[in-house]
Amino acid sequence: MCFLVQLVKNEEQFQQKLADTVLQEKNVNVRLARSLPLPMENDESRPRIDLVVFIIHLTSELSFQSAETSLKYLDPGYFQGKVCFLVTNARNVSVPPERLVSVRKLAASLHCPLLCTEDQTTEGVTTAAHRLLAILKVAAGLVPMATGLYSDIDQQKFE
Amino acid sequence: MIRRIYLTSKLNDAVIDYFSLSRFQLHHGKARCSKSTSCCCFFSVMEERSSIVKTPLNNVLTQRRSKSYRRSMRSCVEATNLGYTSGHLTALRIPRSRRTPKSRDITKQVDPDQVALLVTKEWELSYVTPLYQFRHTQLKSYSKHLSAFIVSEKQQGLAIEVGQELGFKVNFSVVLGLAETDEDAETVFIQILSKHAFAAKDDAQKVVWSGWLTCVNGDLEYLRSLPSEFVSLPLLCTRGPESLTVLVKSWFEKTFDCCFGPLGINSTNLQWLAALWIGCHPTINIQYLKLVWTLPTLPPMDVKYTIHPQDAWELWDSVRQDDTTDVSIEEVTRFIKGLQSHFFRHFRIELSAGSLMQVSTALGSSHHSGKIKIASPTYITTILQLLTECALLKMPI
């Protein structure tokens, strides 16, 4: 199983903590990246990628923009259940509400799940890792009777 | 597309994939299916329900009252995703464009002395929920009650300064003319006067605390939806010692059953204010445009970015495509992005990775934590309208 994490610079602590927590589960490989496309050198040795997670920190505009530009480099086949958005600081007072609305619209238009997480405490990171593992298991095909195509069941319809 | 999924998933999932794809086709009409199935079996894992349902081929149109009502309902649902609670039926919208402000001599509408009380001072902002049975006619009795309340609360404190408490006097007054529409309540200005601790007996009392409650051009649907006993003055501006602010707020909470909360100005509204002040440059020289960002480095870095007003005005003018009466959020974002990319070109620091903390010009300054200073009375109504809107959006009701 493999799982790619995606981020903007200066916010690596959360990415690192999340990766460490996820790695405690057996048979999971985590690769971290700052932006797509991935470098060509390792293309042969890279295992199959089951889930691509975009981490967006809502306090910075740059995070959202770099996630948007990286989306263009992703093969369209991934958008059927192998992409997930992870958002931090959604409850923060300083975050303008329009940013969360635009992230939700983006996730809804791509039919991908959106998770809100809390990155400052260890419980928050552990919860986020557990939820990601649940989605990862579905995306990798290990849960019978469920596929990643069901991931947009609870998303609101944005017309 | 279908074939690729079929081959890459495992065998026990293959059948489910085909069903889920056909569900996809009937709901969204996007995936192309070589065989069209007329009936659809729902294998809904999460809801544990299996029923044969004939799903509609098109979206079913629901009855709507009016387009704006629906849009506003959708915006409040977008904002919460928690379904409807009784409070959220008062639909509030986040505006995407605003009218260009026209410079207006406010002293024609408002007494110049009272205007002088409001400008050139830094105010701290809070939001207020609607006040129950607040009467503009009973301001004198409110003054007496509040001064008695402050004196009694102060005497309970540990450090008693005898000379100061007994000299508390409270003034409630109305600032007529700031309200824009018929639904806005008139602004109420509160002053607390007292003598200095070591003042002589004949010395006049000085203002130690002042504050004002206002509502300028509040959302009409919301104001009309309030029951008749409630008066909405959602914006509170205070200046003075924190102890007195807390006392005034607790008196209001006890008397009028309202709640107070801190009001911050988020980065979008700071950008609106920057655009507003830049737009005024031809008529009033703003002397400088200063923006302060905080970047999340270790240790956190503050960037103070001061721009010559003429350069800023030229950039703003080039972003403003046509002389329409509306300024849209895209133009504001483009203006700020232009400033940020210029900074990046020179210093290789990406300002959008941080957050905008403060915007100031000669016309006024506003800080992210909720402090505002209005230096000139010309555009006061536009600024107050923006802040009233912030307060109404922040309020939990």
Side-chain angles (χ1 to χ4, degrees):
Chain A
M1 275 196 272
C2 186
F3 160 62
L4 183 75
V5 181
Q6 154 76 325
L7 180 60
V8 85
K9 27 198 181 294
N10 292 337
E11 311 272 2
E12 284 146 3
Q13 299 165 341
F14 176 56
Q15 190 187 34
Q16 198 56 52
K17 277 191 270 181
L18 191 63
D20 290 335
T21 321
V22 168
L23 277 172
Q24 288 168 9
E25 176 81 14
K26 290 186 278 235
N27 292 332
V28 179
N29 269 330
V30 177
R31 301 294 161 101
L32 309 179
R34 287 233 183 98
S35 64
L36 293 175
L38 296 173
M40 298 298 288
E41 303 87 53
N42 303 340
D43 214 12
E44 315 309 321
S45 60
R46 210 173 281 143
R48 182 191 76 189
I49 293 179
D50 282 325
L51 183 67
V52 178
V53 180
F54 289 89
I55 301 184
I56 299 178
H57 293 273
L58 283 180
T59 42
S60 85
E61 180 70 29
L62 186 64
S63 192
F64 179 45
Q65 278 165 3
S66 83
E68 271 187 319
T69 45
S70 300
L71 276 173
K72 296 182 193 130
Y73 291 102
L74 205 55
D75 186 54
Y78 277 100
F79 287 106
Q80 291 176 340
K82 293 192 198 284
V83 172
C84 175
F85 287 93
L86 196 69
V87 151
T88 67
N89 288 326
R91 290 185 293 190
N92 198 323
V93 157
S94 59
V95 165
E98 299 91 44
R99 217 172 273 166
L100 180 59
V101 168
S102 33
V103 175
R104 289 179 62 205
K105 272 195 188 145
L106 180 69
S109 67
L110 296 168
H111 299 287
C112 297
L114 173 73
L115 300 180
C116 294
T117 62
E118 198 258 291
D119 60 337
Q120 305 289 339
T121 62
T122 43
E123 292 91 30
V125 175
T126 328
T127 321
H130 281 297
R131 293 169 78 188
L132 277 178
L133 278 170
I135 296 184
L136 175 60
K137 283 185 188 149
V138 172
L142 295 176
V143 177
M145 310 285 274
T147 73
L149 292 169
Y150 282 115
S151 59
D152 68 330
I153 266 184
D154 50 356
Q155 295 281 346
Q156 288 256 324
K157 256 202 130 111
F158 283 96
E159 280 127 65
Chain B
M1 202 154 63
I2 300 160
R3 235 176 282 130
R4 204 195 297 164
I5 303 255
Y6 198 84
L7 286 171
T8 54
S9 54
K10 293 186 183 176
L11 197 58
N12 51 357
D13 284 343
V15 175
I16 308 299
D17 270 0
Y18 186 76
F19 272 112
S20 64
L21 271 169
S22 52
R23 173 187 79 103
F24 234 51
Q25 182 224 5
L26 288 171
H27 264 298
H28 304 279
K30 275 179 198 148
R32 266 179 294 131
C33 194
S34 53
K35 286 188 218 165
S36 56
T37 52
S38 53
C39 115
C40 170
C41 283
F42 254 67
F43 274 77
S44 185
V45 177
M46 297 169 199
E47 289 141 75
E48 284 167 31
R49 177 185 53 157
S50 68
S51 52
I52 299 182
V53 173
K54 190 131 189 239
T55 51
L57 290 172
N58 309 314
N59 285 333
V60 175
L61 288 176
T62 53
Q63 287 256 319
R64 294 169 197 136
R65 278 187 225 177
S66 74
K67 200 172 170 194
S68 65
Y69 181 79
R70 176 178 160 254
R71 205 187 303 135
S72 52
M73 289 307 274
R74 191 190 57 191
S75 69
C76 78
V77 168
E78 272 174 16
T80 63
N81 194 20
L82 289 173
Y84 299 158
T85 61
S86 58
H88 288 109
L89 287 176
T90 62
L92 296 174
R93 286 167 252 174
I94 302 172
R96 297 192 59 79
S97 75
R98 297 174 194 273
R99 265 180 312 180
T100 44
K102 294 195 178 43
S103 101
R104 207 164 34 153
D105 194 6
I106 192 75
T107 52
K108 288 190 188 133
Q109 283 168 272
V110 189
D111 189 17
D113 298 328
Q114 288 181 320
V115 173
L117 287 172
L118 305 179
V119 297
T120 68
K121 295 192 182 82
E122 191 173 61
W123 302 99
E124 184 153 348
L125 301 172
S126 332
Y127 67 81
V128 190
T129 56
L131 305 164
Y132 182 65
Q133 287 189 345
F134 179 87
R135 305 260 180 274
H136 284 90
T137 46
Q138 291 186 357
L139 294 180
K140 277 208 165 55
S141 80
Y142 295 154
S143 317
K144 288 187 199 132
H145 284 127
L146 182 54
S147 55
F149 180 79
I150 292 178
V151 169
S152 63
E153 288 288 324
K154 284 272 182 188
Q155 280 171 350
Q156 281 175 28
L158 291 169
I160 299 180
E161 298 165 354
V162 178
Q164 193 159 16
E165 297 95 63
L166 296 177
F168 272 114
K169 182 166 159 328
V170 177
N171 250 346
F172 271 72
S173 55
V174 175
V175 179
L176 289 167
L178 274 181
E180 288 279 303
T181 64
D182 292 331
E183 303 286 339
D184 289 339
E186 293 291 341
T187 308
V188 175
F189 193 83
I190 309 164
Q191 272 177 328
I192 301 182
L193 305 121
S194 91
K195 278 194 206 155
H196 190 68
F198 301 105
K201 269 193 191 171
D202 305 333
D203 274 359
Q205 284 184 321
K206 276 204 260 176
V207 177
V208 291
W209 187 93
S210 45
W212 41 299
L213 288 154
T214 181
C215 178
V216 177
N217 235 340
D219 188 55
L220 286 173
E221 279 179 41
Y222 173 73
L223 292 176
R224 281 182 194 143
S225 70
L226 287 176
S228 53
E229 305 91 40
F230 283 91
V231 171
S232 175
L233 287 162
L235 187 68
L236 169 70
C237 309
T238 60
R239 175 190 163 79
E242 180 67 23
S243 54
L244 282 174
T245 312
V246 167
L247 286 177
V248 172
K249 283 184 183 173
S250 54
W251 181 79
F252 266 92
E253 281 172 1
K254 284 193 187 126
T255 322
F256 301 112
D257 193 24
C258 56
C259 288
F260 286 83
L263 182 66
I265 309 179
N266 64 24
S267 62
T268 313
N269 291 314
L270 286 173
Q271 289 173 13
W272 276 117
L273 283 171
L276 163 71
W277 281 323
I278 279 291
C280 309
H281 182 65
T283 44
I284 305 178
N285 183 11
I286 59 174
Q287 286 166 22
Y288 59 89
L289 171 67
K290 186 167 96 155
L291 303 158
V292 178
W293 264 277
T294 303
L295 297 170
T297 51
L298 288 164
M301 183 162 62
D302 284 335
V303 173
K304 288 193 180 71
Y305 185 13
T306 312
I307 306 154
H308 191 270
Q310 193 55 39
D311 299 333
W313 161 249
E314 279 167 15
L315 178 64
W316 176 242
D317 202 24
S318 65
V319 167
R320 287 278 280 144
Q321 276 142 358
D322 38 5
D323 267 326
T324 53
T325 51
D326 283 340
V327 182
S328 72
I329 183 77
E330 284 88 21
E331 289 173 352
V332 174
T333 346
R334 238 181 295 151
F335 173 66
I336 298 286
K337 277 210 181 96
L339 295 175
Q340 286 174 345
S341 61
H342 179 80
F343 194 84
F344 182 70
R345 217 173 296 132
H346 284 271
F347 296 103
R348 312 306 287 182
I349 294 179
E350 187 62 68
L351 286 173
S352 56
S355 37
L356 183 58
M357 283 283 142
Q358 188 179 359
V359 173
S360 55
T361 66
L363 287 180
S365 74
S366 57
H367 193 273
H368 168 78
S369 60
K371 294 194 177 50
I372 184 125
K373 179 171 148 181
I374 305 171
S376 140
T378 335
Y379 290 96
I380 193 172
T381 33
T382 325
I383 298 176
L384 289 180
Q385 180 183 332
L386 178 78
L387 295 174
T388 311
E389 200 183 271
C390 288
L392 282 174
L393 282 170
K394 185 90 192 287
M395 237 163 34
I397 300 180

